Amino acid sequence: MPETAHNALISEFKALIGAAYTLTDAAKIQPYCKGFRFGEGVALAVVRPGSLLQVWQLLQACVRADVAVIMQAANTGLTGGSTPNGDDYDRPIVIINTMRIDQIQLIDNARQIIGLAGSTLFGLEDVLAPYGREPHSVIGSSCIGASIVGGICNNSGGALVQRGPAYTELSLFAQIDENGQLTLVNHLGIELGSTPEEMLNNLDQQNYRAEDIQYPDKLASDNEYHQRVRQVDEATPARFNNDGRRLHEASGCAGKLAVFAVRLDTYPIAEKQQVFYIGTNDDKVLAKMRRHILSEFENLPVSGEYLGRDYYDVCKKYGKDTFLVIDKLGSKYIPKLFGLKRQVDRIAGNFKFLPSKLSDHIMQYLSYLWPNHLPKKMEAFRERFEHHWILEMNNAGVEEARQYLREFFQNHEGDFFECTPKEGEKAILHRFVAGGAVGRYHTIKRKQFGPMMTIDVALRRNEEQWLEKLPPEIEDKIEAKLYLGHLFCHVMHQNYILKKGVDAKALKQQLLAFFDARGAEYPAEHNVGQEYFAKPALKSFYRKLDPTNAFNPGIGKTSKLKYWSEGPVKKS
């Protein structure tokens, strides 16, 4: 693409959304071009529209200029799924960041919501609270500040046992067909008009009536998951990104569509909730409890979050600042904190004598000034037990779990206690900060360790040995292993810090082969991004959605070239 064409396209962007929201300076676009933990590449520009109509107009300009587009919201993914990866594309990349478009609309007395392109789960919790409702998903530790649409596009979430991963068949999206034509598809179930401009303006302004809202025979959540997770004898995982049963248009599209809005179910806030904190030194105890609770309990748990002792210690020391911000100020301050971190790191990057990720070093030092923030009962369990399980029940399930735990631990190794409301909040929050804590730990200790790898794996539902035992040829190359996960669905997030000099790519292939032999699936909920190969079913889904490979090219280690070509790169 000639320089003059570059300049013409950027001028068009500025005319559409303003110069302030058209970023081309390398330092300013860098935070948008670098993944939260993985992936980094080059973009011609980052544009930040303020309305759905502006997104459409930007897409039209990009199609005319024959540039590739990456749709991006909060950029919190762990596998580089919403950033460029390298510079070996055959067309320039334009990133359309939608975070200014954060409106959430309530329909059917808040039983369902419409989340626009940049709306977040934090925002949704606040909007629903006055109605006594809560979102389908909760924020995970690895994706603080995550967007609603991003969750749908990646089939993410699933920690809530009663609800499963994010899913909907009701969405509004733009698609580029095999002839390179941009079309707007309204499967939102709301009559919005006949032209793209009319539909997007009406949705932007919530200019529709109750009678315009349809209730088609389409899902706005995964209504079968609660049955699937109970099937503890099945030799397949409960949920994973390559599951064809939950790939549908926006759901699982991984940015191969430009998604403007999604429609989702909401749920009543439970009348009664209780967190039980469980400790044991025998992983088979947790396996036995998991199996019984899922197969025999009348009431499914809300969640069951596992944390190993080593990870407990990492969260305590290296997630303390995030814990304190949320505990004292509320979760809504986290996106601001992350924004400040990016600014500090961007400025520090101009000075070679400053350490990489300076913000982490500063915040870590400041966290030492605050006293121990964890409840004494949790700390006592940390001393006694290697394995920690945070079991959350609601309504009638509270008494059912209470009776079961009292009887169970009369005859099995381990113990439990019932958390006060504040202890329960802190236990969950301690698990919540894990994703950021392990990254901080590796940053601070970088000189002592080799690379870090994070594996997001879904084990078979009938897997008995959920706590892995690695073969010596893998174990001997690892300095530290940090395990956490959603134990009921057997989705584990396993962090490996390697010894110095170890070839991380080669070791990862050994690990993945190890998981293949166990009948596991990966990734489980973070999607393939730029880190994993898309398996045939997923790759076929991507090609069907985006036949010209104009959106998010290269996702799942697929072709980065137009029309999915596998030939040499010819940059325009």
Side-chain angles (χ1 to χ4, degrees):
M1 187 176 183
E3 188 73 21
T4 52
H6 284 188
N7 294 336
L9 181 59
I10 290 167
S11 295
E12 188 171 0
F13 291 160
K14 290 178 179 177
L16 288 170
I17 64 171
Y21 299 111
T22 304
L23 311 180
T24 57
D25 178 80
K28 291 183 178 180
I29 69 173
Q30 193 268 348
Y32 302 91
C33 293
K34 183 177 177 64
F36 183 74
R37 191 183 290 175
F38 183 91
E40 184 174 7
V42 176
L44 174 65
V46 175
V47 287
R48 302 183 60 236
S51 70
L52 297 178
L53 180 58
Q54 286 183 350
V55 175
W56 174 256
Q57 292 168 334
L58 290 167
L59 288 172
Q60 288 178 311
C62 289
V63 170
R64 286 193 297 267
D66 193 25
V67 300
V69 173
I70 294 178
M71 299 297 297
Q72 181 187 87
N75 188 18
T76 59
L78 298 188
T79 57
S82 59
T83 60
N85 189 44
D87 61 355
D88 54 338
Y89 298 86
D90 60 346
R91 295 153 290 170
I93 300 286
V94 171
I95 297 173
I96 299 180
N97 183 280
T98 61
M99 291 304 288
R100 294 177 61 213
I101 312 170
D102 59 357
Q103 186 183 164
I104 296 168
Q105 301 173 7
L106 304 180
I107 58 177
D108 192 20
N109 198 30
R111 290 184 179 88
Q112 290 187 327
I113 64 100
I114 306 293
L116 301 196
S119 56
T120 66
L121 286 173
F122 280 141
L124 183 53
E125 289 174 354
D126 289 343
V127 168
L128 289 176
Y131 295 85
R133 311 284 294 184
E134 60 186 7
H136 169 274
S137 301
V138 293
I139 296 290
S141 67
S142 57
C143 50
I144 295 173
S147 71
I148 296 170
V149 167
I152 290 294
C153 292
N154 291 300
N155 285 137
S156 59
L160 299 184
V161 182
Q162 300 163 357
R163 302 175 193 174
Y167 181 76
T168 188
E169 295 169 0
L170 299 165
S171 61
L172 176 69
F173 58 88
Q175 187 171 28
I176 298 175
D177 65 21
E178 62 273 10
N179 298 314
Q181 297 297 310
L182 181 71
T183 58
L184 187 69
V185 179
N186 180 12
H187 288 168
L188 204 56
I190 301 177
E191 179 56 50
L192 294 168
S194 55
T195 69
E197 291 77 12
E198 186 180 10
M199 286 189 276
L200 295 171
N201 267 327
N202 283 334
L203 187 57
D204 262 326
Q205 299 164 18
Q206 203 169 351
N207 183 28
Y208 53 86
R209 301 163 299 172
E211 50 264 40
D212 294 324
I213 302 172
Q214 303 146 6
Y215 294 89
D217 187 21
K218 291 185 176 183
L219 299 178
S221 61
D222 186 345
N223 67 341
E224 299 172 347
Y225 182 77
H226 65 284
Q227 299 168 339
R228 186 175 177 83
V229 76
R230 281 188 180 273
Q231 296 166 348
V232 294
D233 291 318
E234 294 295 319
T236 55
R239 60 184 177 95
F240 54 99
N241 286 132
N242 193 48
D243 186 356
R245 61 186 280 278
R246 286 298 176 254
L247 298 175
H248 181 86
E249 296 179 344
S251 294
C253 75
K256 301 305 286 183
L257 300 171
V259 181
F260 289 84
V262 294
R263 179 172 166 181
L264 299 172
D265 292 330
T266 70
Y267 298 82
I269 295 174
E271 295 179 4
K272 186 177 183 180
Q273 292 181 305
Q274 179 63 53
V275 173
F276 299 91
Y277 199 95
I278 298 164
T280 181
N281 291 305
D282 184 354
D283 58 276
K284 292 182 176 59
V285 166
L286 296 187
K288 186 174 184 178
M289 293 175 66
R290 169 192 173 270
R291 184 177 182 85
H292 180 91
I293 291 170
L294 287 177
S295 60
E296 302 295 336
F297 268 34
E298 183 177 346
N299 302 279
L300 271 177
V302 175
S303 65
E305 296 295 285
Y306 169 77
L307 196 66
R309 177 190 275 157
D310 289 344
Y311 218 144
Y312 179 107
D313 293 344
V314 166
C315 292
K316 177 182 175 181
K317 185 172 183 178
Y318 297 96
K320 186 177 182 180
D321 53 314
T322 304
F323 182 107
L324 291 171
V325 168
I326 298 174
D327 187 46
K328 304 302 180 184
L329 302 177
S331 57
K332 64 182 179 182
Y333 283 89
I334 288 296
K336 296 177 182 178
L337 178 65
F338 273 57
L340 179 60
K341 276 173 51 51
R342 290 193 184 102
Q343 288 276 37
V344 170
D345 290 340
R346 180 174 67 84
I347 294 170
N350 297 321
F351 302 94
K352 293 183 178 180
F353 63 89
L354 292 174
S356 174
K357 296 189 178 180
L358 176 64
S359 64
D360 281 302
H361 290 270
I362 294 172
M363 294 173 70
Q364 186 60 33
Y365 174 77
L366 292 174
S367 71
Y368 296 147
L369 304 178
W370 199 272
N372 188 359
H373 56 292
L374 296 179
K376 291 181 180 179
K377 291 180 186 176
M378 282 177 59
E379 291 285 76
F381 265 48
R382 184 264 168 223
E383 294 301 316
R384 294 172 60 193
F385 301 117
E386 181 181 354
H387 305 294
H388 298 240
W389 198 19
I390 305 165
L391 173 64
E392 187 176 4
M393 303 294 297
N394 64 10
N395 297 334
V398 173
E399 187 58 33
E400 186 175 19
R402 180 179 289 128
Q403 294 297 329
Y404 170 73
L405 292 172
R406 285 173 178 169
E407 294 176 11
F408 183 86
F409 282 112
Q410 289 178 7
N411 302 302
H412 294 84
E413 190 274 334
D415 200 356
F416 81 100
F417 68 86
E418 293 189 33
C419 296
T420 65
K422 191 60 179 177
E423 288 171 342
E425 289 175 10
K426 289 194 172 187
I428 292 169
L429 184 50
H430 185 59
R431 160 63 180 89
F432 178 92
V433 302
V438 72
R440 170 80 58 78
Y441 173 60
H442 188 252
T443 295
I444 300 297
K445 301 284 188 178
R446 187 177 297 273
K447 292 182 179 180
Q448 302 175 31
F449 300 139
M452 181 176 73
M453 295 190 309
T454 298
I455 304 289
D456 166 37
V457 62
L459 305 177
R460 298 173 303 167
R461 282 170 282 176
N462 67 348
E463 177 65 68
E464 295 181 3
Q465 188 59 55
W466 64 270
L467 188 65
E468 69 180 12
K469 297 187 184 301
L470 295 172
E473 61 270 21
I474 295 178
E475 184 78 44
D476 292 345
K477 297 173 184 176
I478 297 173
E479 186 76 41
K481 297 176 296 184
L482 301 168
Y483 295 148
L484 59 84
H486 317 299
L487 202 56
F488 283 116
C489 58
H490 268 176
V491 167
M492 301 299 294
H493 303 304
Q494 305 185 160
N495 298 271
Y496 307 91
I497 297 176
L498 311 186
K499 294 179 179 178
K500 280 185 171 292
V502 171
D503 184 336
K505 289 184 178 180
L507 184 61
K508 184 157 191 175
Q509 293 312 306
Q510 287 182 273
L511 275 166
L512 296 183
F514 172 71
F515 290 132
D516 288 338
R518 298 179 69 193
E521 289 279 354
Y522 50 83
E525 62 182 13
H526 293 159
N527 220 324
V528 289
Q530 303 285 354
E531 189 172 6
Y532 296 92
F533 282 95
K535 293 183 179 180
L538 197 56
K539 186 175 180 179
S540 175
F541 178 62
Y542 292 160
R543 292 192 68 152
K544 181 179 178 182
L545 294 180
D546 183 21
T548 70
N549 204 19
F551 286 121
N552 212 4
I555 197 76
K557 294 188 181 292
T558 59
S559 170
K560 294 182 177 180
L561 310 183
K562 193 172 182 179
Y563 290 109
W564 301 85
S565 170
E566 298 295 342
V569 175
K570 294 181 180 178
K571 293 188 179 182
S572 59

